[in-house]
């Protein structure tokens, strides 16, 4: 049975069980990751993601999405709320008429089910309306997540039919000692090497380059550092898969992105999008970042 059919079957069974428990509406579907873009997959569309971390968005989900609903449609927007808010965000995305927005979890458990108190599987994320998952965020790696676990989580996300955004990035020590590329290469090989024989469709995988020293610090990597690192990530992705996938898989930058710097970061040739923490907590701020990203693409397309 094809990978997606298995995922769909898992979702259908999960939805039925949860519906019997009165927890979801069995007739309601939020589509899957392939429904995110309005047409066929276009890797030149920026992927701009909000990581709310352990915060509810500042103004509440309804006003936040009312703001975001007017965001430029030339960008694929992706929201990673806390898992307990997934269903509410997924429902509001539909209600405001932007089913093209992706919604995802900030983590997932590698097992499809079982005695894992407090965890959530890919199938449960889908049942809650999620279409994506974030994997290997540095805050989880700092809490003890290993490369091997990141790899298993990527498999679990893909097996469940989710899109997966995997984070890589070097520490300040690695940057200072010239080890940045070695660290990035090792993280990418450990995370994705195992999927080389059965590569995911490019629209179901994104890599976020997030230097640890730029996350939540207000210190942004320089444009040269961002371009050099995202181009390097793409080269390693080509090494793992092939050149076509390396061209089509979106590589995004994260680390103190704000409305005021989004446009210049997005202008770097190997940056296909952004992963935004703090500045994604308010609708107008995140929308300004999305619109700045759309502007870059529109400018690039002009003859
Ligand atoms: C993040 O947590 O992924 C992130 C990039 O955070 P911030 O934008 O706040 O630096």
């Amino acid at each position: 049975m094809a990978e997606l059919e298995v995922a769909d079957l898992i979702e259908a069974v999960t939805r039925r069980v949860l519906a019997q428990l009165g927890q979801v509406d069995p007739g309601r579907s939020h589509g899957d990751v392939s429904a995110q873009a309005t047409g066929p997959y276009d890797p030149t569309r920026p992927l701009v993601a909000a990581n709310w971390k352990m915060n509810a968005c500042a103004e509440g989900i309804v006003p936040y999405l009312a703001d975001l609903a007017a965001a430029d449609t030339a960008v694929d927007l992706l929201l990673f709320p806390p898992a307990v808010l997934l269903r509410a965000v997924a429902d509001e995305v539909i209600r405001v008429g932007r089913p093209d927005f992706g919604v995802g979890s900030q983590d997932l458990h590698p097992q499809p089910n079982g005695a894992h108190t407090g965890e959530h599987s890919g199938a449960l994320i889908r049942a809650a309306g999620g279409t994506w998952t974030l994997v290997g965020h540095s805050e989880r790696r700092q809490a003890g997540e290993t490369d091997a676990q990141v790899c298993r989580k990527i498999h679990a996300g893909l097996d469940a039919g989710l899109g997966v955004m995997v984070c890589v990035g070097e520490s300040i020590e690695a940057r200072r000692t010239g080890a940045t590329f070695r660290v990035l290469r090792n993280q990418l090989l450990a995370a994705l090497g195992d999927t080389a024989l059965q590569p995911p469709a490019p629209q179901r995988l994104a890599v976020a380059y997030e230097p640890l020293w730029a996350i939540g610090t207000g210190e942004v990597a320089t444009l040269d550092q961002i371009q050099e690192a995202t181009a390097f990530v793409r080269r390693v992705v080509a090494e793992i898969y092939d050149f076509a996938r390396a061209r089509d898989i979106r590589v995004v930058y994260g680390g103190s992105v704000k409305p005021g710097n989004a446009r210049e970061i997005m202008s770097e040739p190997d940056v296909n999008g952004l992963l935004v923490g703090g500045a994604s907590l308010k609708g107008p701020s995140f929308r300004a970042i999305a619109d700045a990203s759309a502007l870059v693409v529109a400018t690039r397309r002009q003859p």
Side-chain angles (χ1 to χ4, degrees):
M1 203 185 291
E3 193 186 35
L4 260 177
E5 286 172 339
V6 174
D8 287 342
L9 189 64
I10 293 170
E11 184 188 25
V13 171
T14 309
R15 292 184 77 79
R16 185 161 303 175
V17 171
L18 292 180
Q20 278 164 2
L21 294 172
Q23 292 172 14
V24 297
D25 171 357
R28 191 97 183 259
S29 167
H30 292 274
D32 70 15
V33 67
S34 58
Q36 188 184 336
T38 41
Y41 175 58
D42 175 1
T44 67
R45 284 171 63 85
L47 179 60
V48 179
N51 176 13
W52 294 357
K53 311 192 185 190
M54 202 173 70
N55 301 297
C57 59
E59 67 258 55
I61 291 166
V62 171
Y64 184 97
L65 276 156
D67 263 325
L68 211 57
D72 199 307
T73 53
V75 178
D76 286 336
L77 286 186
L78 185 46
L79 303 172
F80 292 116
V84 291
L85 298 180
L86 263 176
R87 166 56 62 197
V89 174
D91 282 349
E92 197 54 23
V93 156
I94 303 289
R95 210 185 61 79
V96 299
R98 293 301 300 262
D100 56 310
F101 289 175
V103 179
S105 63
Q106 298 169 13
D107 185 35
L108 87 167
H109 194 275
Q111 296 293 334
N113 50 45
H116 304 289
T117 303
E119 301 284 350
H120 40 273
S121 66
L124 288 170
I125 292 160
R126 286 195 61 155
T131 49
W132 279 79
T133 184
L134 192 61
V135 170
H137 190 278
S138 64
E139 285 155 14
R140 299 208 62 86
R141 291 183 192 255
Q142 278 159 359
E145 185 165 278
T146 63
D147 280 336
Q149 285 169 326
V150 170
C151 172
R152 289 172 59 216
K153 288 180 178 190
I154 291 171
H155 277 287
L158 294 172
D159 288 350
L162 296 167
V164 175
M165 180 178 282
V166 54
C167 303
V168 295
E170 80 285 3
S171 65
I172 190 64
E173 294 76 30
R175 170 67 59 184
R176 285 196 183 122
T177 56
T180 297
F181 291 157
R182 185 165 47 78
V183 168
L184 294 179
R185 188 163 187 279
N186 287 346
Q187 287 178 341
L188 285 164
L189 290 177
L192 298 175
D194 210 28
T195 58
L197 285 178
Q198 264 197 311
Q203 62 268 40
R204 294 188 52 201
L205 182 67
V207 180
Y209 167 62
E210 297 209 302
L212 271 61
W213 45 274
I215 296 179
T217 58
E219 189 182 345
V220 193
T222 66
L223 296 179
D224 283 349
Q225 287 169 331
I226 293 171
Q227 170 53 25
E228 192 182 42
T230 49
F232 179 78
V233 164
R234 205 178 296 286
R235 276 207 297 283
V236 181
V237 171
E239 201 184 306
I240 294 170
Y241 303 125
D242 50 52
F243 283 105
R245 272 200 176 66
R247 181 196 58 212
D248 293 347
I249 286 172
R250 286 175 290 188
V251 179
V252 309
Y253 168 79
S256 298
V257 174
K258 308 243 170 331
N261 61 21
R263 191 172 174 183
E264 58 179 17
I265 295 172
M266 275 299 301
S267 299
E268 291 302 322
D270 276 286
V271 176
N272 306 125
L274 302 165
L275 176 55
V276 188
S280 74
L281 290 176
K282 292 190 175 159
S285 156
F286 187 54
R287 183 181 150 196
I289 291 171
D291 289 348
S293 307
L295 202 60
V296 172
V297 176
T299 318
R300 262 187 209 150
R301 281 186 182 144
Q302 263 161 30

